Amino acid sequence: RKVHEQLQIGSDITVEKGEKIRSVWTIGGQITVHGTVEKSAVAVGGSVVLTKTAVVKGNVVSLGGVIVM
């Protein structure tokens, strides 16, 4: 399944294994990546968790959180 972009405010986002998404952004939530992000994964006020199956081809940014690999 491919989703073009995803933005959430105040909730978490999970990119599942086998899922491809262009960009993912959250404000006040956490991003967990098991699948593929073609461009950027950006969390403002939250963290980004990259699992061992995660692929992010662009930037990984966390403002006010941490990046876990």
Side-chain angles (χ1 to χ4, degrees), residues 13-24:
I13 299 174
T14 300
V15 179
E16 299 294 345
K17 187 175 180 181
E19 184 177 18
K20 285 187 177 182
I21 191 166
R22 184 173 177 191
S23 292
V24 60

Side-chain angles (χ1 to χ4, degrees), residues 2 5-6 10 12 15-16 18 20-21 23-24 27-28 30-35 40 43 46 53 60 63 69:
K2 185 169 182 175
E5 311 250 350
Q6 188 169 1
D12 298 340
V15 179
E16 299 294 345
K20 285 187 177 182
I21 191 166
S23 292
V24 60
I27 299 170
Q30 175 176 292
I31 300 170
T32 303
V33 182
H34 299 283
S40 298
T53 59
V60 177
L63 301 172
M69 298 172 35

